[in-house]
């Protein structure tokens, strides 16, 4: 059978060539850029050379084997040409450290070459439903190839991890291609799978050689092309759940990395050591167990993709619902256990925000109502009385206007039950900017969560602006012996609305 011949050829070449490549590059001192997690011993990062040679040998065997493809195949030529372009760019990066923009340009160029040779995502399907993408074919193709290529590159962080996950993805894609009668993709999967199987012998812990960017970019590109082309039915529609779930683990890891970095305010395309495999090690999981766990997770997701694509309708519906629920639960559990506190804090903010959003809006509306009443005050004591009378309705413990040096509005004036945990906010009330002891708006509030504190800050800013406008309107300072005027209490927003209605 041509598939077995191609696999055996590529695996044998990889077994023979990989140690030779390791000896040659170390003999010349060409280790490439040291991976951050590579510890003290230096391991060459140029294993992509062996994988590329073995894959090419397997494809040639597939073209020459009896029962194989008759003559040069357009898909093979395009995939190998574009993959070689990326391999060259990655190998150059391993040796001289290319700028990220140049690597991205090479990935886009490889995607365009693949598109020109006929690899195009023109329609997607799930079950019996199919949808044409029309003019989005080129951008969708580029997005898929560039996304998968980078995702596979990022997951290459432990000995044997990327190689093993690539084998899982290729085995699943091979099975799908055989079911759909897609011989060219089956031979492509066999060639790359054999190359990775032979390379894994030297890449598993303790690794003697790494894929490097040359190998990971080449393998990632081939996976992107083969997984989609192998999931294409005779109607030219891609069974979308197959490639998505076959490559779900590296794609999920990349998505989490992007969101994490965005939440932290760090460069989205920067590097860190907080990927899924790094977090497993941080939890105390051994290197080998972490890699095996990632293999199992990748295989589980790949099998789910095949079930969704080819299972009976009743099984598909049940698997989809169960898989979605299980994925959400596992994701939430993993985020907490793996120490991704970026997501924990973001979730807490969203939860508290949804819970207190309505009350926050009410407080802000009432603050605007009070601000509209303040211009009618006849003296500063009247302003203070209006603010203090409306403090409870504004969700505040205490509020007053005083000089910055004044001791008025200290913690001792708060209710005993809430004084110890209260927060103080102080907003400047600038009359003319020249005073050495300006007026300030002094506010005390309870802060059970961040939203309440933010709401109080916004309320203080609104009222401080209104008080500042009042002070700038040529108001005379209050006499020392003046008695406080009767405050004007603004009704809550919903009461005022009812009265107007």
């Amino acid at each position: 059978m041509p598939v077995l011949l191609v696999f055996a050829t590529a695996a044998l070449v990889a077994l023979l060539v990989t140690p030779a490549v390791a000896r040659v590059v170390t003999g010349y001192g060409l280790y490439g850029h040291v991976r951050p997690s590579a510890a003290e011993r230096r391991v060459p990062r140029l294993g992509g050379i062996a994988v590329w040679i073995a894959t090419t040998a397997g494809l040639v065997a597939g073209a020459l084997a009896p029962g194989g493809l008759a003559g040069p195949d357009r898909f093979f030529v395009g995939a190998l040409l574009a993959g070689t372009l990326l391999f060259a760019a990655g190998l150059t990066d391993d040796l001289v450290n290319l700028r990220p923009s140049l690597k991205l340009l090479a990935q886009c160029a490889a995607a365009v070459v693949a598109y020109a040779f006929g690899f195009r995502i023109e329609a997607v399907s799930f079950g019996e439903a199919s949808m044409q993408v029309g003019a989005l074919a080129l951008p969708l193709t580029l997005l898929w190839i560039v996304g998968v290529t980078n995702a596979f590159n990022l997951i290459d962080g432990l000995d044997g991890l990327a190689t093993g996950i690539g084998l899982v993805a290729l085995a699943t894609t091979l099975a799908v291609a055989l079911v759909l009668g897609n011989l060219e993709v089956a031979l492509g999967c066999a060639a790359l799978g054999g190359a990775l199987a032979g390379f894994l012998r030297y890449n598993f812990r303790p690794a003697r050689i790494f894929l490097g960017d040359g190998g990971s970019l080449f393998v990632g590109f081939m996976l992107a092309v083969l997984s989609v082309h192998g999931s294409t039915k005779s109607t030219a529609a891609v069974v979308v759940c197959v490639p998505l779930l076959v490559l779900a683990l590296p794609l999920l890891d990349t998505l989490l990395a992007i969101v994490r970095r965005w939440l932290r305010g760090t460069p989205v395309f920067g590097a860190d050591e907080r990927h899924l495999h790094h977090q497993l090690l941080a939890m105390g999981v051994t290197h080998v167990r972490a890699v095996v766990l990632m293999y199992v997770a990748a295989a589980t997701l790949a099998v789910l993709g095949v079930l969704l694509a080819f299972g009976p309708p009743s099984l598909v519906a049940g698997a989809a619902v169960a898989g979605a629920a299980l994925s959400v639960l596992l994701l939430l559990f993993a985020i907490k256990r793996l120490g991704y506190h970026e997501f924990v804090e973001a979730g807490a903010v969203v939860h508290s925000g949804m819970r207190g959003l309505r009350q926050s809006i009410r407080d802000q509306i009432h603050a605007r109502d009070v601000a509209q009443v303040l211009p009618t005050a006849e003296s500063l004591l009247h302003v203070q009385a209006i603010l203090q009378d409306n403090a409870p309705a504004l969700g505040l413990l205490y509020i007053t206007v005083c000089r910055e040096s004044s001791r008025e509005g200290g913690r001792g004036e708060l209710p005993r039950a809430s004084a110890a945990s209260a927060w103080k906010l102080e907003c400047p009330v600038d009359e003319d900017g020249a005073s050495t002891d300006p007026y300030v708006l002094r506010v005390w509030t309870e802060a059970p969560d961040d939203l309440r504190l933010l709401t109080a800050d916004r309320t203080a800013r609104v009222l401080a602006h209104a008080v500042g406008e009042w002070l700038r309107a040529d108001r005379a300072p209050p006499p020392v012996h003046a008695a406080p005027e009767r405050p004007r209490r603004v009704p809550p927003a919903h009461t005022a609305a009812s009265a107007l209605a």
Side-chain angles (χ1 to χ4, degrees):
M1 186 177 179
V3 173
L4 292 178
L5 175 63
V6 168
F7 180 87
T9 301
L12 180 61
V13 171
L15 284 171
L16 296 175
V17 170
T18 301
V21 169
R23 285 194 299 269
V24 171
V25 297
T26 54
Y28 282 95
L30 301 175
Y31 287 91
H33 299 292
V34 178
R35 192 177 61 194
S37 60
E40 294 83 9
R41 65 187 181 91
R42 300 188 68 187
V43 179
R45 289 176 50 85
L46 303 175
I49 298 173
V51 172
W52 179 82
I53 292 174
T55 303
T56 303
L59 292 178
V60 171
L64 299 179
L69 298 173
D73 182 82
R74 182 177 175 83
F75 172 74
F76 274 171
V77 172
L80 190 57
L81 179 61
T84 301
L85 173 63
L86 264 187
F87 164 69
L91 185 61
T92 304
D93 180 59
D94 287 328
L95 295 174
V96 299
N97 195 17
L98 288 178
R99 294 198 305 270
S101 58
L102 291 178
K103 287 199 293 184
L104 180 61
L105 181 62
Q107 293 167 20
C108 293
V112 171
V113 170
Y115 187 87
F117 273 82
F119 173 73
R120 302 174 183 180
I121 302 177
E122 298 177 328
V124 295
S125 70
F126 185 85
E128 299 300 323
S130 180
M131 180 182 67
Q132 298 291 324
V133 298
L136 296 177
L138 178 58
L140 188 60
T141 302
L142 263 65
L143 179 64
W144 173 256
I145 290 178
V146 172
V148 171
T149 301
N150 280 287
F152 191 80
N153 187 31
L154 290 175
I155 208 169
D156 185 21
L158 296 179
D159 297 358
L161 178 58
T163 305
I165 289 179
L167 277 170
V168 171
L170 288 167
T172 310
T173 304
L174 173 62
V176 172
L178 291 176
V179 170
L180 296 177
N182 197 332
L183 180 60
E184 59 182 5
V185 172
L187 293 176
C189 290
L192 184 58
L196 291 181
F199 180 77
L200 185 62
R201 164 68 179 77
Y202 307 97
N203 183 232
F204 203 76
R205 188 171 181 85
R208 294 170 53 186
I209 192 168
F210 296 139
L211 279 172
D213 279 351
S216 61
L217 291 178
F218 172 71
V219 175
F221 170 82
M222 295 297 289
L223 282 173
V225 173
L226 291 170
S227 62
V228 167
H229 206 62
S231 306
T232 303
K233 295 181 177 180
S234 57
T235 58
V238 177
V239 185
V240 66
C241 60
V242 174
L244 282 177
L245 288 173
V246 162
L247 298 167
L249 195 59
L251 290 174
L252 176 62
D253 182 60
T254 302
L255 178 61
L256 289 176
I258 291 174
V259 177
R260 281 193 295 102
R261 294 165 187 169
W262 179 78
L263 289 172
R264 281 180 171 268
T266 56
V268 169
F269 297 103
D272 60 27
E273 292 193 5
R274 289 178 56 77
H275 291 279
L276 291 173
H277 45 278
H278 293 133
Q279 297 305 103
L280 286 173
L281 295 181
M283 290 174 57
V285 179
T286 65
H287 189 291
V288 173
R289 286 185 179 180
V291 171
V292 172
L293 281 174
M294 298 286 278
Y295 287 174
V296 172
T300 303
L301 291 169
V303 170
L304 179 61
V306 174
L307 289 177
L308 291 177
F310 302 107
S314 57
L315 179 62
V316 169
V321 174
L326 182 61
S327 298
V328 171
L329 291 175
L330 287 176
L331 183 60
L332 294 176
F333 176 77
I335 283 174
K336 188 172 182 179
R337 289 295 303 272
L338 292 175
Y340 284 137
H341 46 263
E342 299 95 339
F343 298 101
V344 174
E345 292 302 321
V349 170
V350 171
H351 180 263
S352 63
M354 294 300 294
R355 184 181 56 192
L357 184 60
R358 187 177 181 186
Q359 183 61 47
S360 177
I361 293 173
R362 287 178 177 176
D363 290 346
Q364 295 307 303
I365 293 173
H366 196 65
R368 295 288 181 182
D369 291 338
V370 174
Q372 288 181 343
V373 171
L374 285 179
T376 65
E378 300 174 1
S379 67
L380 186 58
L381 290 176
H382 194 183
V383 170
Q384 292 174 323
I386 292 174
L387 294 175
Q388 292 172 11
D389 190 57
N390 284 278
L394 292 168
L396 305 174
L397 295 174
Y398 184 87
I399 182 169
T400 189
V401 179
C402 60
R403 292 290 184 178
E404 189 175 34
S405 61
S406 172
R407 295 185 179 181
E408 182 181 355
R411 193 179 295 270
E413 299 184 34
L414 303 180
R416 185 183 299 272
S418 54
S421 60
W423 287 61
K424 182 174 73 171
L425 302 174
E426 205 165 82
C427 291
V429 179
D430 188 14
E431 311 133 276
D432 53 13
S435 175
T436 58
D437 190 17
Y439 281 106
V440 294
L441 187 74
R442 193 163 289 166
V443 174
W444 286 91
T445 182
E446 289 183 305
D449 50 50
D450 292 339
L451 181 61
R452 170 56 65 186
L453 192 59
L454 291 173
T455 301
D457 178 72
R458 177 64 179 165
T459 299
R461 290 172 183 269
V462 170
L463 295 178
H465 177 74
V467 173
E469 291 292 328
W470 184 89
L471 288 172
R472 283 188 289 272
D474 295 328
R475 306 287 182 177
V480 178
H481 60 277
E485 289 85 347
R486 182 179 179 181
R488 176 178 176 183
R489 187 177 187 279
V490 180
H494 65 275
T495 306
S498 300
L500 290 175

